[in-house]
Amino acid sequence: MSKNVLVLADVREQKLRNVSFEALAAARMVAEGGQITAAVFGSFAKDLVDPLAHYGADRVITVLNPELDQYTTDAYFQAFKKVIEHVQPDVILTGHTAVGRDVSPRVAARLGTGLISDCTNVELVNGQIVFTRPIYAGKAFVKKVVKDGIVFATLRPNNIAAGEPDGNRTAQVEELQVDFAPDSLRTLVKDIVKKSAGGVDLSEARIIVSGGRGVKSAEGFKPLQELADVLGGAVGASRGACDSGYCDYALQIGQTGKVVTPDLYIACGISGAIQHLAGMSNSKVIVAINKDPEAPIFQVADYGIVGDLFEVVPLLTEEFKKLLASG
Amino acid sequence: MNILVCLKQTFDTEERITIENGKINEDGAEFVINPYDEYAVEEAIKLKEQHGGEVTVITIGPERAEQALRTAMAMGADKGVIVDLEDLGDQVDEHTIAQVLAATIREEDLDFDIILCGYMAVDDGSAQVGPRLAELLEIPHISTITKLTVEGDKVSVEKDVEGDVEYIDAKLPILVTAQQGLNDPRYPSLPGIMKAKKKPLTRLELDDLDLDEEEIAAKTEIIETFLPPKKEAGKILTGDLADQAKELVQLLRSEAKVI
């Protein structure tokens, strides 16, 4: 049976995040011929209509109120709710990101619906939409369905492949306006400090170079950063490295911290405690560099080098430079 | 200041996960306060130390979950409420939990200026209950905070946004969810542990709350639980380190095809 699907586009710094295109691909798969509507918020939203159409939206709803330029829960909540009332979707999909993760549960509570968060796969089984999601940070998985009412889910970035964009596709565009009641925007963002230097976010990075206690100091992360820079990747860390004060907790990967699934994960001086493995063991390819050949990280690694990371990492950086220069 | 903390008892993060009869096997597992909720407990106690007032810790769970409340009380929380939903069996999801928490807070007359939760639990990892509860209680929320300051009814927080930091102002009453980096939870002291045994604990069951079982029943259903496929042993390179580096880069391009 065809279903109307609503995708809330995930915007960061006035740009669409890739997870929006991934959600459109999932939407196409579950819609079974139904209409796919994308909603995008902010005074700049008109500029984002074309890519949403190229990636599969049949209809794009823009909400241009400037109150939506910077994400706040209350503003997004009201706009999202208004769009849902307008579209009357059977299915709602969005990213499991700082935005989707924050606003979706609140909207689900208001609508009295279920919500399946942080999904890594979506499939149709006999017409029913089945979501796969990790539990215990990926030590196990469950398949989950919504029993009745709107099927509402947030999708983990980097797990469902976006489709090929079609530059000729166009979408019907509609504009909605939200009247924000006085005092209905109860939180005020005063300032934002960018910490993710280099702009590669851990949860969406294709390549992650990660350091553990073996990195020994904040200074020790430098060669890792250099390798990440050459590869266009991001730097992560184990709890050990964060607890030792070598880096910010924002970089922590593990059951506490971030769960990541990059194409390539290079673990440097990380022993591989269970709680760290939970955060990265579903990466597509894992490289381990560690002095201790018995380190448990080697059990999940596709490739291992037993050696001092301070020798190995710069060698790798040089080799990658050569390879990438040769094309 | 009246402070509520919602917490969940979870497996210790070092536990291995096994499945028995299609479900996660709990036998012999070590249980702890969900690490993110532990930050919430610590922050609540710090607020009480600065502003005075009372910290109430609430949990939903089986009998064993009392231990998590006692630990929070040993850290400094004043009283606890435990709601046992055994009667609902599998009919429990985030929708249910948020409804039961909201009903507990309303019906037990738990006055609050601020509610603290962990931003997610390390078992289900859904990150839903805090924002859902705030909506049901009709108060604002700010998630994934790494710093909290309260002066009068003014609240200032630092919020982690995937690595960036947002500085946000708001007013009480509010619900905030704790991100790692908010604080370093204290260890319960021995006198704290002794005192905790005598602190008041309210035990509730579903029947004690004015809730329609059908309305709060889970909206979602788990149809399968499984372990990820076991990884095959990888390739440990040998030889001179410079040659290994060269070989690895080649393998990543030609065999793994990720570069």
Side-chain angles (χ1 to χ4, degrees):
Chain A
M1 211 179 64
S2 74
K3 299 176 195 79
N4 285 327
V5 186
L6 172 65
V7 170
L8 174 64
D10 203 307
V11 176
R12 194 170 193 193
E13 288 167 28
Q14 312 202 353
K15 289 199 188 78
L16 289 168
R17 294 181 66 172
N18 210 38
V19 70
S20 309
F21 307 135
E22 294 165 7
L24 285 169
R28 176 64 62 203
M29 205 258 298
V30 302
E32 297 187 89
Q35 190 179 48
I36 297 171
T37 306
V40 59
F41 301 161
S43 56
F44 45 81
K46 280 191 178 133
D47 300 337
L48 306 178
V49 167
D50 284 347
L52 290 169
H54 297 167
Y55 278 94
D58 303 312
R59 173 163 76 143
V60 178
I61 295 178
T62 58
V63 185
L64 303 176
N65 298 60
E67 290 89 343
L68 295 159
D69 287 3
Q70 160 66 42
Y71 174 82
T72 63
T73 310
D74 287 338
Y76 254 64
F77 172 85
Q78 292 177 59
F80 199 3
K81 197 169 124 301
K82 177 142 189 175
V83 169
I84 292 167
E85 282 160 5
H86 183 71
V87 175
Q88 300 278 317
D90 304 304
V91 181
I92 307 172
L93 300 175
T94 191
H96 193 71
T97 58
V99 171
R101 197 177 61 208
D102 186 72
V103 74
S104 301
R106 200 153 181 139
V107 170
R110 172 64 72 91
L111 301 175
T113 64
L115 172 65
I116 303 181
S117 27
D118 199 17
C119 301
T120 53
N121 193 32
V122 186
E123 56 194 327
L124 268 179
V125 181
N126 302 324
Q128 189 173 36
I129 307 173
V130 179
F131 296 92
T132 302
R133 64 181 305 275
I135 55 172
Y136 299 91
K139 289 177 188 170
F141 287 82
V142 291
K143 291 195 176 192
K144 236 177 156 181
V145 297
V146 171
K147 290 197 290 190
D148 64 336
I150 297 177
V151 176
F152 193 174
T154 61
L155 310 177
R156 180 183 290 193
N158 245 348
N159 279 267
I160 294 159
E164 280 299 315
D166 173 357
N168 294 321
R169 274 189 103 257
T170 55
Q172 172 196 336
V173 183
E174 266 179 75
E175 193 184 320
L176 284 184
Q177 263 221 329
V178 181
D179 299 319
F180 292 109
D183 301 332
S184 73
L185 304 178
R186 296 167 293 183
T187 63
L188 176 71
V189 179
K190 288 186 313 180
D191 196 12
I192 302 171
V193 175
K194 306 269 170 224
K195 275 202 179 169
S196 41
V200 185
D201 180 71
L202 265 183
S203 64
E204 281 191 305
R206 227 177 49 74
I207 297 175
I208 293 174
V209 182
S210 199
R213 272 189 213 277
V215 173
K216 290 186 190 138
S217 66
E219 190 73 4
F221 268 91
K222 272 200 179 146
L224 276 59
Q225 185 68 55
E226 283 163 22
L227 176 56
D229 289 345
V230 166
L231 295 170
V235 170
S238 72
R239 180 162 81 185
C242 295
D243 283 349
S244 307
Y246 305 161
C247 60
D248 200 278
Y249 277 112
L251 299 187
Q252 183 174 321
I253 291 165
Q255 194 164 2
T256 48
K258 297 199 165 62
V259 175
V260 295
T261 48
D263 291 347
L264 175 60
Y265 189 90
I266 304 179
C268 311
I270 292 177
S271 64
I274 257 191
Q275 95 97 24
H276 184 72
L277 298 184
M280 47 62 77
S281 59
N282 291 304
S283 304
K284 287 183 193 91
V285 175
I286 297 169
V287 171
I289 301 161
N290 202 300
K291 276 200 285 201
D292 173 11
E294 302 298 322
I297 190 77
F298 285 116
Q299 285 164 23
V300 300
D302 299 278
Y303 304 103
I305 293 183
V306 178
D308 184 350
L309 74 96
F310 293 108
E311 282 180 64
V312 177
V313 172
L315 287 168
L316 280 176
T317 306
E318 284 315 307
E319 288 299 328
F320 278 120
K321 266 191 201 162
K322 277 191 230 164
L323 180 81
L324 295 169
S326 70
Chain B
M1 186 182 303
N2 291 314
I3 307 157
L4 306 184
V5 181
C6 303
L7 65 84
K8 182 178 188 181
Q9 192 188 41
T10 59
F11 275 37
D12 187 282
T13 55
E14 291 297 328
E15 287 289 335
R16 278 181 202 286
I17 301 296
T18 57
I19 291 176
E20 205 176 271
N21 299 325
K23 286 192 177 160
I24 299 295
N25 185 6
E26 293 192 354
D27 289 351
E30 283 280 333
F31 285 92
V32 296
I33 297 176
N34 170 41
Y36 292 97
D37 299 343
E38 205 179 358
Y39 301 129
V41 173
E42 172 64 30
E43 200 64 18
I45 296 164
K46 279 167 113 178
L47 281 177
K48 182 181 104 165
E49 286 166 353
Q50 283 166 22
H51 302 278
E54 195 174 56
V55 176
T56 305
V57 283
I58 310 169
T59 195
I60 295 176
E63 239 179 274
R64 62 166 160 75
E66 180 183 333
Q67 190 49 51
L69 292 185
R70 294 288 176 201
T71 303
M73 291 179 198
M75 288 167 73
D78 300 289
K79 58 191 175 91
V81 180
I82 181 168
V83 188
D84 194 332
L85 293 184
E86 208 185 356
D87 292 350
L88 281 176
D90 287 342
Q91 289 299 312
V92 175
D93 69 359
E94 297 86 353
H95 163 75
T96 319
I97 297 294
Q99 293 278 357
V100 171
L101 285 173
T104 305
I105 291 167
R106 278 194 307 258
E107 293 177 32
E108 292 297 302
D109 293 321
L110 298 173
D111 288 334
F112 62 86
D113 299 293
I114 190 165
I115 302 178
L116 295 108
C117 306
Y119 105 84
M120 67 162 190
V122 295
D123 48 9
D124 290 337
S126 74
Q128 288 190 30
V129 170
R132 273 181 180 270
L133 176 62
E135 178 59 24
L136 296 177
L137 296 172
E138 298 177 29
I139 57 170
H141 83 266
I142 304 172
S143 56
T144 59
I145 68 160
T146 53
K147 193 175 177 196
L148 173 67
T149 314
V150 179
E151 277 168 47
D153 70 341
K154 208 172 150 264
V155 179
S156 310
V157 311
E158 292 180 19
K159 171 184 164 84
D160 164 53
V161 184
E162 296 174 357
D164 295 340
V165 183
E166 285 181 3
Y167 294 80
I168 302 180
D169 281 356
K171 282 195 167 141
L172 296 176
I174 196 166
L175 182 149
V176 293
T177 72
Q179 171 66 300
Q180 194 168 32
L182 178 61
N183 54 44
D184 271 323
R186 69 194 69 192
Y187 289 102
S189 64
L190 197 56
I193 293 168
M194 300 312 290
K195 268 193 226 160
K197 291 180 180 163
K198 290 185 192 130
K199 287 183 178 173
L201 180 79
T202 307
R203 286 169 214 277
L204 300 174
E205 287 178 22
L206 192 57
D207 289 346
D208 299 317
L209 297 167
D210 182 23
L211 283 169
D212 179 342
E213 242 179 79
E214 235 169 79
E215 243 167 61
I216 62 158
K219 299 279 182 187
T220 58
E221 185 182 5
I222 293 170
I223 54 172
E224 192 187 340
T225 303
F226 60 100
L227 297 177
K230 229 182 150 80
K231 266 199 113 149
E232 306 244 332
K235 203 180 276 184
I236 304 292
L237 307 183
T238 52
D240 179 57
L241 278 185
D243 292 338
Q244 287 191 39
K246 204 169 280 177
E247 188 186 351
L248 176 63
V249 169
Q250 285 308 324
L251 285 167
L252 289 175
R253 162 148 290 186
S254 51
E255 191 176 84
K257 297 190 170 68
V258 288
I259 298 291

